[in-house]
Amino acid sequence: KKRTGIIIVIILLLIFLLGINGTLLAMRIGPEDTAAPDCQMLQEAYVAQRTVIKIQTRQIGQVLQILQSEILVSYRLAKGQDLLEDGKYDEAVQIYKEVLETDTKNVEAYQGLVQATEFQAILEKRASSHREIQQKQHDRYNNTHCACRQQDHSHVTPPHL
């Protein structure tokens, strides 16, 4: 949707700029001039046209930079989503932060960043719970076996071989 809108804006901008170019040329050599245009008038029209072309080229360059930036943002957002789906939350967080450095109002980047950090928190909580359970099992095992070893077995006579 966003890309289509940008392309439409570019097309309208080009049409607008070409219209300005034609208008300037018509102002220089209009239909009201019944005499054949002299060299001076043609040269002025040529200079005006070149000026308009330079302005248009600069504007088109700016539009292309914006498009390039938008395409890069779209690529990074897709990469961040892929990383989220692959469970690579640290990398996804980094990608979304990069997007937000260039486009601070990008809602998709904020949503992705929130998802990635929430998943990180859930994983950390699970890992912490898992470590606690392992520690409790380890402590219980040690307490059971250590208590058994510390009991006095002197009253038991060892078997004779």
PDB file of all heavy atoms in Angstrom, residues 96-110:
ATOM      1  N   TYR A  96      15.231  -3.903  14.350  1.00  0.00           N
ATOM      2  CA  TYR A  96      14.156  -2.928  14.587  1.00  0.00           C
ATOM      3  C   TYR A  96      14.715  -1.613  15.126  1.00  0.00           C
ATOM      4  O   TYR A  96      14.224  -0.535  14.781  1.00  0.00           O
ATOM      5  CB  TYR A  96      13.104  -3.500  15.533  1.00  0.00           C
ATOM      6  CG  TYR A  96      12.270  -4.577  14.881  1.00  0.00           C
ATOM      7  CD1 TYR A  96      12.143  -5.829  15.453  1.00  0.00           C
ATOM      8  CD2 TYR A  96      11.602  -4.338  13.688  1.00  0.00           C
ATOM      9  CE1 TYR A  96      11.367  -6.827  14.847  1.00  0.00           C
ATOM     10  CE2 TYR A  96      10.831  -5.313  13.083  1.00  0.00           C
ATOM     11  CZ  TYR A  96      10.726  -6.554  13.667  1.00  0.00           C
ATOM     12  OH  TYR A  96       9.968  -7.519  13.062  1.00  0.00           O
ATOM     13  N   LYS A  97      15.748  -1.674  15.941  1.00  0.00           N
ATOM     14  CA  LYS A  97      16.372  -0.437  16.436  1.00  0.00           C
ATOM     15  C   LYS A  97      17.022   0.340  15.291  1.00  0.00           C
ATOM     16  O   LYS A  97      16.972   1.572  15.262  1.00  0.00           O
ATOM     17  CB  LYS A  97      17.406  -0.759  17.514  1.00  0.00           C
ATOM     18  CG  LYS A  97      16.780  -1.111  18.844  1.00  0.00           C
ATOM     19  CD  LYS A  97      17.835  -1.372  19.894  1.00  0.00           C
ATOM     20  CE  LYS A  97      17.198  -1.683  21.246  1.00  0.00           C
ATOM     21  NZ  LYS A  97      18.204  -1.940  22.285  1.00  0.00           N
ATOM     22  N   GLU A  98      17.626  -0.380  14.333  1.00  0.00           N
ATOM     23  CA  GLU A  98      18.220   0.287  13.170  1.00  0.00           C
ATOM     24  C   GLU A  98      17.148   1.011  12.356  1.00  0.00           C
ATOM     25  O   GLU A  98      17.367   2.125  11.879  1.00  0.00           O
ATOM     26  CB  GLU A  98      18.946  -0.729  12.288  1.00  0.00           C
ATOM     27  CG  GLU A  98      20.240  -1.242  12.880  1.00  0.00           C
ATOM     28  CD  GLU A  98      20.860  -2.350  12.055  1.00  0.00           C
ATOM     29  OE1 GLU A  98      20.380  -2.631  10.922  1.00  0.00           O
ATOM     30  OE2 GLU A  98      21.815  -2.973  12.537  1.00  0.00           O
ATOM     31  N   VAL A  99      16.008   0.366  12.180  1.00  0.00           N
ATOM     32  CA  VAL A  99      14.911   0.999  11.438  1.00  0.00           C
ATOM     33  C   VAL A  99      14.466   2.268  12.162  1.00  0.00           C
ATOM     34  O   VAL A  99      14.256   3.314  11.545  1.00  0.00           O
ATOM     35  CB  VAL A  99      13.722   0.030  11.260  1.00  0.00           C
ATOM     36  CG1 VAL A  99      12.493   0.748  10.720  1.00  0.00           C
ATOM     37  CG2 VAL A  99      14.100  -1.119  10.338  1.00  0.00           C
ATOM     38  N   LEU A 100      14.341   2.188  13.486  1.00  0.00           N
ATOM     39  CA  LEU A 100      13.870   3.335  14.256  1.00  0.00           C
ATOM     40  C   LEU A 100      14.883   4.477  14.291  1.00  0.00           C
ATOM     41  O   LEU A 100      14.510   5.621  14.514  1.00  0.00           O
ATOM     42  CB  LEU A 100      13.490   2.893  15.671  1.00  0.00           C
ATOM     43  CG  LEU A 100      12.241   2.019  15.729  1.00  0.00           C
ATOM     44  CD1 LEU A 100      12.059   1.434  17.124  1.00  0.00           C
ATOM     45  CD2 LEU A 100      11.008   2.790  15.300  1.00  0.00           C
ATOM     46  N   GLU A 101      16.157   4.166  14.058  1.00  0.00           N
ATOM     47  CA  GLU A 101      17.155   5.240  13.978  1.00  0.00           C
ATOM     48  C   GLU A 101      16.903   6.129  12.761  1.00  0.00           C
ATOM     49  O   GLU A 101      17.129   7.338  12.815  1.00  0.00           O
ATOM     50  CB  GLU A 101      18.566   4.646  13.899  1.00  0.00           C
ATOM     51  CG  GLU A 101      19.073   4.100  15.211  1.00  0.00           C
ATOM     52  CD  GLU A 101      20.427   3.421  15.070  1.00  0.00           C
ATOM     53  OE1 GLU A 101      21.044   3.503  13.979  1.00  0.00           O
ATOM     54  OE2 GLU A 101      20.876   2.803  16.041  1.00  0.00           O
ATOM     55  N   THR A 102      16.439   5.522  11.670  1.00  0.00           N
ATOM     56  CA  THR A 102      16.207   6.294  10.451  1.00  0.00           C
ATOM     57  C   THR A 102      14.762   6.768  10.320  1.00  0.00           C
ATOM     58  O   THR A 102      14.500   7.768   9.666  1.00  0.00           O
ATOM     59  CB  THR A 102      16.564   5.473   9.194  1.00  0.00           C
ATOM     60  OG1 THR A 102      15.787   4.277   9.189  1.00  0.00           O
ATOM     61  CG2 THR A 102      18.034   5.127   9.177  1.00  0.00           C
ATOM     62  N   ASP A 103      13.831   6.030  10.928  1.00  0.00           N
ATOM     63  CA  ASP A 103      12.409   6.369  10.811  1.00  0.00           C
ATOM     64  C   ASP A 103      11.774   6.229  12.196  1.00  0.00           C
ATOM     65  O   ASP A 103      11.264   5.171  12.549  1.00  0.00           O
ATOM     66  CB  ASP A 103      11.740   5.435   9.799  1.00  0.00           C
ATOM     67  CG  ASP A 103      10.292   5.786   9.530  1.00  0.00           C
ATOM     68  OD1 ASP A 103       9.804   6.800  10.079  1.00  0.00           O
ATOM     69  OD2 ASP A 103       9.635   5.040   8.787  1.00  0.00           O
ATOM     70  N   THR A 104      11.813   7.295  12.968  1.00  0.00           N
ATOM     71  CA  THR A 104      11.366   7.244  14.366  1.00  0.00           C
ATOM     72  C   THR A 104       9.866   7.062  14.520  1.00  0.00           C
ATOM     73  O   THR A 104       9.391   6.764  15.604  1.00  0.00           O
ATOM     74  CB  THR A 104      11.779   8.528  15.108  1.00  0.00           C
ATOM     75  OG1 THR A 104      11.211   9.653  14.424  1.00  0.00           O
ATOM     76  CG2 THR A 104      13.289   8.661  15.175  1.00  0.00           C
ATOM     77  N   LYS A 105       9.106   7.218  13.440  1.00  0.00           N
ATOM     78  CA  LYS A 105       7.650   7.098  13.528  1.00  0.00           C
ATOM     79  C   LYS A 105       7.134   5.793  12.915  1.00  0.00           C
ATOM     80  O   LYS A 105       5.948   5.658  12.669  1.00  0.00           O
ATOM     81  CB  LYS A 105       6.985   8.284  12.820  1.00  0.00           C
ATOM     82  CG  LYS A 105       7.299   9.600  13.492  1.00  0.00           C
ATOM     83  CD  LYS A 105       6.644  10.749  12.779  1.00  0.00           C
ATOM     84  CE  LYS A 105       7.006  12.063  13.470  1.00  0.00           C
ATOM     85  NZ  LYS A 105       6.399  13.210  12.832  1.00  0.00           N
ATOM     86  N   ASN A 106       8.031   4.829  12.682  1.00  0.00           N
ATOM     87  CA  ASN A 106       7.636   3.589  12.028  1.00  0.00           C
ATOM     88  C   ASN A 106       6.944   2.664  13.027  1.00  0.00           C
ATOM     89  O   ASN A 106       7.581   2.091  13.910  1.00  0.00           O
ATOM     90  CB  ASN A 106       8.852   2.905  11.411  1.00  0.00           C
ATOM     91  CG  ASN A 106       8.464   1.794  10.493  1.00  0.00           C
ATOM     92  OD1 ASN A 106       7.799   0.848  10.903  1.00  0.00           O
ATOM     93  ND2 ASN A 106       8.869   1.898   9.242  1.00  0.00           N
ATOM     94  N   VAL A 107       5.645   2.529  12.879  1.00  0.00           N
ATOM     95  CA  VAL A 107       4.831   1.745  13.808  1.00  0.00           C
ATOM     96  C   VAL A 107       5.202   0.265  13.747  1.00  0.00           C
ATOM     97  O   VAL A 107       5.285  -0.409  14.780  1.00  0.00           O
ATOM     98  CB  VAL A 107       3.327   1.943  13.499  1.00  0.00           C
ATOM     99  CG1 VAL A 107       2.461   1.058  14.366  1.00  0.00           C
ATOM    100  CG2 VAL A 107       2.943   3.399  13.678  1.00  0.00           C
ATOM    101  N   GLU A 108       5.457  -0.253  12.539  1.00  0.00           N
ATOM    102  CA  GLU A 108       5.811  -1.668  12.400  1.00  0.00           C
ATOM    103  C   GLU A 108       7.096  -1.995  13.157  1.00  0.00           C
ATOM    104  O   GLU A 108       7.210  -3.060  13.761  1.00  0.00           O
ATOM    105  CB  GLU A 108       5.976  -2.029  10.926  1.00  0.00           C
ATOM    106  CG  GLU A 108       4.689  -2.046  10.144  1.00  0.00           C
ATOM    107  CD  GLU A 108       4.930  -2.369   8.684  1.00  0.00           C
ATOM    108  OE1 GLU A 108       5.386  -3.487   8.397  1.00  0.00           O
ATOM    109  OE2 GLU A 108       4.669  -1.495   7.849  1.00  0.00           O
ATOM    110  N   ALA A 109       8.051  -1.079  13.124  1.00  0.00           N
ATOM    111  CA  ALA A 109       9.310  -1.306  13.838  1.00  0.00           C
ATOM    112  C   ALA A 109       9.077  -1.332  15.347  1.00  0.00           C
ATOM    113  O   ALA A 109       9.645  -2.166  16.060  1.00  0.00           O
ATOM    114  CB  ALA A 109      10.333  -0.237  13.468  1.00  0.00           C
ATOM    115  N   TYR A 110       8.233  -0.427  15.840  1.00  0.00           N
ATOM    116  CA  TYR A 110       7.916  -0.432  17.271  1.00  0.00           C
ATOM    117  C   TYR A 110       7.203  -1.720  17.670  1.00  0.00           C
ATOM    118  O   TYR A 110       7.512  -2.321  18.700  1.00  0.00           O
ATOM    119  CB  TYR A 110       7.051   0.780  17.646  1.00  0.00           C
ATOM    120  CG  TYR A 110       7.844   2.056  17.808  1.00  0.00           C
ATOM    121  CD1 TYR A 110       7.667   3.119  16.926  1.00  0.00           C
ATOM    122  CD2 TYR A 110       8.766   2.206  18.840  1.00  0.00           C
ATOM    123  CE1 TYR A 110       8.386   4.296  17.072  1.00  0.00           C
ATOM    124  CE2 TYR A 110       9.486   3.382  18.987  1.00  0.00           C
ATOM    125  CZ  TYR A 110       9.288   4.415  18.105  1.00  0.00           C
ATOM    126  OH  TYR A 110      10.011   5.570  18.246  1.00  0.00           O
TER     127      TYR A 110
END
